[in-house]
Amino acid sequence: MAPSPSISPPSLFPLSISLAALDTLFEEARRCHPFEACGLLLGEGSTIATARPTANVAPDPARHFEIDPASLIAAYREARGTGPAVLGHFHSHPTGLARPSETDAAMATRDGRIWAIVANGDIGFWRDAPSGFEPLSYRVVRV
């Protein structure tokens, strides 16, 4: 089957996510609706072991997300010690699609981190690459 012309084919990057982390992403999107949920993706290498919800401190959380800076700093401090690495972050699109929006593209830092976007019971994983967002394939694993 040919890939959709509007979306690049998935990268060969072998992203894995634990079932518990995946469940957290969907639950947070449901819990926060009609506002955007957000949080951090934690793990090692290419495996997301944990999705850690954070407060959305954006001025308009129905249309934007901003991860609570205190939560972000705490996660990086843990990672410098014995904690899991911060692999990226997640957010939801309560009325959109599970892919980066124009606002997401404008906010992207092109740092190679993973973005998970949840929308309407769907999820997409993306790498914030120097050339723009790259779709990632994933598999669910037991961690």
Side-chain angles (χ1 to χ4, degrees):
M1 173 186 264
S4 167
S6 62
I7 299 176
S8 301
S11 157
L12 296 178
F13 181 78
L15 180 65
S16 299
I17 183 168
S18 72
L19 181 57
L22 192 64
D23 287 346
T24 297
L25 296 174
F26 286 112
E27 179 55 35
E28 278 301 296
R30 280 190 296 273
R31 187 184 70 76
C32 293
H33 194 274
F35 301 111
E36 289 196 21
C38 65
L40 302 170
L41 302 172
L42 308 173
E44 296 298 329
S46 62
T47 301
I48 300 167
T50 305
R52 183 182 295 169
T54 66
N56 181 351
V57 298
D60 182 4
R63 297 183 43 193
H64 302 284
F65 81 98
E66 182 178 342
I67 293 172
D68 174 39
S71 297
L72 189 57
I73 291 167
Y76 278 107
R77 280 190 180 138
E78 288 176 30
R80 282 196 314 257
T82 59
V86 178
L87 302 179
H89 62 272
F90 71 89
H91 70 284
S92 63
H93 288 166
T95 60
L97 301 173
R99 64 180 183 207
S101 65
E102 288 182 21
T103 301
D104 294 334
M107 300 297 293
T109 59
R110 309 294 187 241
D111 62 1
R113 300 242 180 242
I114 298 167
W115 288 47
I117 302 173
V118 181
N120 299 311
D122 194 12
I123 190 164
F125 290 91
W126 307 84
R127 171 137 345 259
D128 185 7
S131 61
F133 284 107
E134 298 174 352
L136 298 173
S137 58
Y138 70 96
R139 63 189 176 122
V140 179
V141 297
R142 291 194 173 124
V143 179

